[in-house]
Amino acid sequence: MPRKIINSMVCEFNGQPVFSCEIHPAVSANPYIEFSARLEESGTFRFVWTDDDGSTYEAEAEIEIS
């Protein structure tokens, strides 16, 4: 199975864009990506990664503000 090379990442919170980046060949094979977000309500982060052939991979995480 060929290795997938991720070339972009998008993060949304409750459907609103929070962070995005393009990953170029000069970036390490397993980059650590960190960002900050100020949240005033509970909701859902949605992460979408896109690889070289256009395939997408998604994950979601619930955040509760008390």
Side-chain angles (χ1 to χ4, degrees):
M1 181 172 167
R3 289 198 313 173
K4 301 291 185 177
I5 298 175
I6 302 299
N7 58 35
S8 69
M9 177 184 150
V10 175
C11 176
E12 299 176 346
F13 183 74
N14 290 342
Q16 299 297 312
V18 174
F19 175 82
S20 67
C21 66
E22 292 183 11
I23 302 168
H24 298 279
V27 176
S28 75
N30 296 303
Y32 177 81
I33 299 172
E34 180 179 348
F35 64 92
S36 298
R38 183 176 179 170
L39 306 176
E40 297 183 5
E41 63 184 18
S42 298
T44 303
F45 273 107
R46 179 173 173 258
F47 304 91
V48 179
W49 297 269
T50 304
D51 72 17
D52 283 341
D53 71 6
S55 297
T56 59
Y57 310 90
E58 299 183 23
E60 289 188 352
E62 298 285 328
I63 302 294
E64 185 174 329
I65 306 294
S66 48

